[in-house]
Amino acid sequence: MIDSLARETLLEPGGVTDDGLASVLGATFGRGTDGGDCYFQFTSQEGWSLEDGLVKSASFNIERGVGIRVISGDQTGFAYSDEISLPAMLEAGRTARSIASAGQTGSVAVRPGVARETALYLPDDPLGSLDEARKIELLKHMDAVARAADPRVTQVICSLAGVREVVLVLTAEGELVTDVRPLVRMNVQVLAEQGGRRESGSSGGGGRSGYAFFTEEDRAGAYAREAVRQALLNLEAVDAPAGTMKVVLGPGWPGVLLHEAIGHGLEGDFNRKGTSAFAGRIGERVAAPGISIVDDGTLPGRRGSLNVDDEGTITQQTMLIEDGYLRGYMQDRLNGRLSGTRSTGNGRRESYAHLPMPRMTNTYMLPGTTDPGEILASVDRGLYAVNFGGGQVDITSGKFVFSASEAYLIEDGRVTRPVKGATLIGNGPDVLTRVSMIGNDLELDTGVGTCGKEGQGVPVGVGQPTLRIDGMTVGGTQAA
């Protein structure tokens, strides 16, 4: 079904047949090349926003095209076309081949590639899962729930977005792999005011499904109530302390710190080039005992999951760090081959107009055995950070600065006052060695993550259990 849908959407409008694909493969790859692919993509996407009960914007966009990549040694040639036709593909193939300085052409047959036995999501079209009136009604419901939650709410901004991608990957070896990828996301931002002080809160979620995901268990309403809770909490927050102290990270979204400060350093390209702090350290202890981190593209319906990656490789769960020891890196086909290993299903690209590279899918730390209440009770004075806003990271070194959007003081083993203006400052590899307690409460984020690398953004997931980190630098406005 998916294969025929991909052919109907991507190949048939331009009259491209299997014989035509074979001619492109023969002219583009063959002898003198070490791999590559043709990546076909059709994307339809929409976005809706509601501000103070009124529709502020609505957008709809369609993109279709093919990117052709030729690999020769460690050289890569790449060209793309917004037109999917045999002449355009042959021209793009010649261009990519000349950039890669490849040799003679050859003959390659087209054949089905390996497919995932059980799909991680249905080939649905989110955009058609609700009519326009129902989409607007869903946003207005979220607005109404937020305003009804507390009279101090003065502004509500809601958004809804849906994407459907139809993907066809034709490898240099002639393997043809297809996928249809739905993706939805909903967000709400609330502004609350009290005594001349204004504070905000936000929430949201999504995954690889249709819009009905947000009506199940009234998720839309739950996002609204959570955003209000955060805004009201911030109205009561005091200035954050500053200094070196024990920090407890809550479960779920705080895993974004691990994603940014550690995850990127475990991607294959940085390690092959020797620019990562983890380069050449397979088998070494790089984290405290008990820490195990995986990248898992196989979680059903999750934002970062894929049936196959953007090179046609079936995704998998990859053990990166096991009980503190470095076990592996995330690889695409190019870096896996050049490193003497293989792809781990982490070859990802933003679109047909971009080159693939090693990227994370859903990256999270496995749970420990300690009750989170026990972790908090073990801290005499410190910071409990349960939600994060923006941050800056040096990917290769792991140095980071993250702002906590929701945090509390821990005093005598009890969570007390909420604080504002707290930033966590550190180095990812160093932080891994300072984890002293790991909770049994692993949570994944609600489905809002987008990862940027070299100008490309892709959807990802993060997660972790509650963690205690000893001796972490906290930036604030009050001396600790």
Side-chain angles (χ1 to χ4, degrees), residues 109-244:
V110 176
R111 63 188 186 281
V114 178
R116 181 177 292 281
E117 190 170 313
T118 302
L120 304 175
Y121 37 83
L122 297 174
D124 293 337
D125 180 6
L127 283 64
S129 62
L130 290 180
D131 61 30
E132 291 184 3
R134 286 285 289 121
K135 293 169 188 174
I136 295 172
E137 181 183 325
L138 190 58
L139 289 171
K140 287 188 173 181
H141 168 66
M142 190 157 53
D143 177 270
V145 169
R147 293 183 184 281
D150 195 278
R152 288 169 289 181
V153 172
T154 59
Q155 187 177 43
V156 181
I157 301 174
C158 310
S159 64
L160 180 68
V163 181
R164 182 191 189 227
E165 290 183 347
V166 181
V167 169
L168 187 153
V169 183
L170 180 63
T171 69
E173 295 75 29
E175 293 185 347
L176 192 151
V177 180
T178 59
D179 196 15
V180 177
R181 303 167 177 171
L183 188 66
V184 294
R185 176 172 168 171
M186 186 175 233
N187 288 84
V188 56
Q189 183 175 8
V190 166
L191 194 67
E193 186 172 351
Q194 176 179 283
R197 179 173 172 177
R198 306 175 75 190
E199 297 289 349
S200 64
S202 62
S203 183
R208 295 202 176 275
S209 66
Y211 289 134
F213 176 82
F214 300 120
T215 64
E216 297 167 358
E217 304 173 4
D218 191 20
R219 286 191 174 95
Y223 299 149
R225 287 185 286 271
E226 172 61 16
V228 172
R229 184 194 68 81
Q230 289 185 25
L232 299 182
L233 182 78
N234 288 330
L235 285 175
E236 308 298 327
V238 299
D239 291 337
T244 301

Side-chain angles (χ1 to χ4, degrees), residues 3 7 38 51 105 117 188 239 300 304 320 345-346 364 385 454 476:
D3 180 73
R7 288 175 177 272
C38 302
E51 186 170 339
T105 60
E117 190 170 313
V188 56
D239 291 337
L320 303 172
N346 288 95
Y364 55 94
E454 295 186 19

